[in-house]
Amino acid sequence: MPNAPARPKHLIAWVALVGIVALLTTDLICAQVGREDAPKAEKAGAKLFDRDNLTAWCVVPFDSKKRGPEERAAMLERLGFKSLAYDWRAEHIPTFDAEVEALNRHGIELTAFWGPAELNDDSRRILDLLKRHGIKSQLWVLADYGPDKVEGAEQERRVADAAARVAPLARAAAEIGCSVGLYNHGGWFGEPENQIAIVERLKGQGIDNVGLVYNLHHGHDHLDRFPALLKTMLPYLMALNINGMDVGGDRVGRKILPLGQGEEDLKLLRIIRDSGYKGRIGILGHTDDDVEERLLDNLDGLDWLVPQLDGAEPGPEPRPRTPVPPRPVDAAGLTPRQAAEVAEILAAARAGRPVRLPAEPGRRRRPHPDALPSGPRPRPR
């Protein structure tokens, strides 16, 4: 077979040049797309914590001012909230209709209504109210199955019992366009894995309007596995209520904290933002202070934290209007987290490992309250 004719050298050089240009062009296009996508992702993360996406929660029974429906709705509008999750006690039942009417006047959506996890007189009253006003809302429900962890036959019995309890309520809610959120409030029923098992059991019965409502203030025991847990919950998650968080804070009187006052807050907000969660974010009252001041403390803390999610330098730390329980200190004047950090640094030094300071990037160490100067402190605007 004769040899193939030799290709001119200039043709080979031309083909190589075209290939290089094509590769460079592709890289430039990819880089440009990446630059265009980055602001979109950043914008989506910022929107998650925008006022329009925040729901006021634990407001009605937790208010030293004992506001009525009109005062409460006006207060929420003044603070920039667009939605309320309504919790109540027996004394609030006569004003259910007045509450809905006041919220409508002030442009506040009734996003959720707290209630029992079964179809009884209370839940029927709530469903009748929602139907009467044409409201499609979430029902946040909880049940008590004890604090213990179980497995085997007892686990199966509880899942089956909880699903049978919730099913009639979920069907009645579906008839008026409403959904049901299983609310974590501690105990067996408050464990997300158990709630997911209940939801899946209901799906097997053709009931698909049930999901999860997760509360950080009932999740202190979940902090060490929160990233993985959030990923597991995402397909079921209807609402996520945030709170200032310390590891073990619920054991030392720091269960409910304003945002920005917990040592885990920045890390948790970043985990939530980066998870892809796109639902509503709940902001707590939940103390017996003036609920407007408590909500403002949380909003101030959120405004302080959000810019730091992308590495911005923190501004002046917010000073809460409402009381914040102090951190416990040991004999050396260290908080439990600071003591653990010192122990880790010493262990690394003894082992000859590089010593890494564990401070959160972009966040300053907050001095212990006892180290702050005495005298009145200015309140944030």
Side-chain angles (χ1 to χ4, degrees):
M1 181 179 291
N3 293 331
R7 293 183 176 88
K9 291 183 179 180
H10 70 273
L11 177 60
I12 296 172
W14 175 253
V15 171
L17 179 60
V18 170
I20 292 170
V21 170
L23 288 172
L24 290 173
T25 303
T26 302
D27 288 343
L28 287 170
I29 292 172
C30 290
Q32 183 63 31
V33 169
R35 282 195 297 271
E36 291 175 355
D37 284 348
K40 291 178 183 177
E42 187 176 313
K43 187 176 181 182
K47 277 191 170 183
L48 184 63
F49 302 110
D50 278 357
R51 289 290 189 275
D52 287 354
N53 198 47
L54 303 182
T55 296
W57 171 231
C58 289
V59 169
V60 180
F62 300 97
D63 185 7
S64 63
K65 294 292 184 71
K66 303 296 181 186
R67 290 173 174 85
E70 176 61 30
E71 293 174 294
R72 185 161 37 251
M75 178 263 294
L76 292 172
E77 183 183 23
R78 186 164 59 247
L79 297 182
F81 283 99
K82 301 298 184 184
S83 77
L84 169 70
Y86 187 81
D87 54 339
W88 54 277
R89 303 294 182 263
E91 67 264 24
H92 301 114
I93 292 174
T95 60
F96 276 2
D97 285 285
E99 193 82 36
V100 171
E101 292 161 3
L103 293 174
N104 287 338
R105 283 194 297 274
H106 290 273
I108 310 295
E109 179 185 356
L110 184 58
T111 304
F113 213 110
W114 174 82
E118 59 189 334
L119 191 60
N120 60 16
D121 289 345
D122 284 336
S123 55
R124 287 189 181 92
R125 185 180 293 112
I126 294 167
L127 290 169
D128 288 344
L129 172 78
L130 299 175
K131 181 178 180 180
R132 189 162 58 248
H133 291 274
I135 298 172
K136 300 185 189 305
S137 185
Q138 299 173 358
L139 303 181
W140 291 0
V141 305
L142 57 93
D144 184 6
Y145 280 86
D148 53 324
K149 296 179 180 179
V150 296
E151 53 188 30
E154 178 60 15
Q155 172 73 6
E156 167 61 25
R157 186 196 70 78
R158 292 189 185 188
V159 170
D161 186 83
R165 178 186 292 194
V166 172
L169 174 64
R171 290 190 178 101
E175 290 177 1
I176 61 171
C178 293
S179 55
V180 175
L182 307 185
Y183 184 99
N184 71 308
H185 199 272
W188 181 89
F189 188 83
E191 288 299 316
E193 291 88 351
N194 295 333
Q195 294 178 330
I196 290 171
I198 297 166
V199 172
E200 288 296 332
R201 184 65 57 92
L202 291 167
K203 283 184 177 179
Q205 301 170 16
I207 299 171
D208 60 1
N209 65 325
V210 181
L212 272 59
V213 177
Y214 189 79
N215 301 271
L216 279 179
H217 65 289
H218 290 301
H220 286 83
D221 289 342
H222 301 152
L223 285 179
D224 60 343
R225 61 188 183 98
F226 182 69
L229 183 62
L230 181 57
K231 184 177 180 180
T232 300
M233 291 191 293
L234 272 182
Y236 308 89
L237 199 57
M238 299 165 57
L240 203 169
N241 301 322
I242 58 178
N243 175 59
M245 299 289 287
D246 286 351
V247 173
D250 56 331
R251 297 179 177 86
V252 293
R254 286 171 60 84
K255 179 176 181 177
I256 308 294
L257 298 176
L259 293 167
Q261 300 301 311
E263 294 181 339
E264 301 294 305
D265 297 359
L266 186 60
K267 179 172 75 173
L268 289 170
L269 290 193
R270 187 174 286 123
I271 291 169
I272 292 167
R273 182 200 64 177
D274 294 345
S275 71
Y277 172 71
K278 294 180 174 59
R280 284 198 171 274
I281 296 291
I283 300 294
L284 296 184
H286 212 310
T287 64
D288 291 324
D289 305 298
D290 178 345
V291 75
E292 181 171 13
E293 292 195 341
R294 190 63 171 197
L295 290 172
L296 276 169
D297 287 344
N298 273 301
L299 294 175
D300 287 348
L302 187 63
D303 289 343
W304 180 69
L305 290 165
V306 167
Q308 299 178 57
L309 293 177
D310 293 305
E313 286 296 321
E317 294 188 23
R319 300 224 179 227
R321 304 159 180 78
T322 55
V324 177
R327 288 186 177 86
V329 295
D330 63 10
L334 299 176
T335 67
R337 173 170 287 277
Q338 290 168 338
E341 291 171 355
V342 170
E344 173 59 26
I345 290 170
L346 291 174
R350 291 191 189 101
R353 300 194 308 267
V355 175
R356 296 181 180 178
L357 296 180
E360 182 75 36
R363 178 171 179 137
R364 298 175 303 175
R365 172 74 63 195
R366 182 186 295 110
H368 186 265
D370 293 343
L372 293 173
S374 59
R377 300 175 186 173
R379 292 184 175 184
R381 290 180 293 173

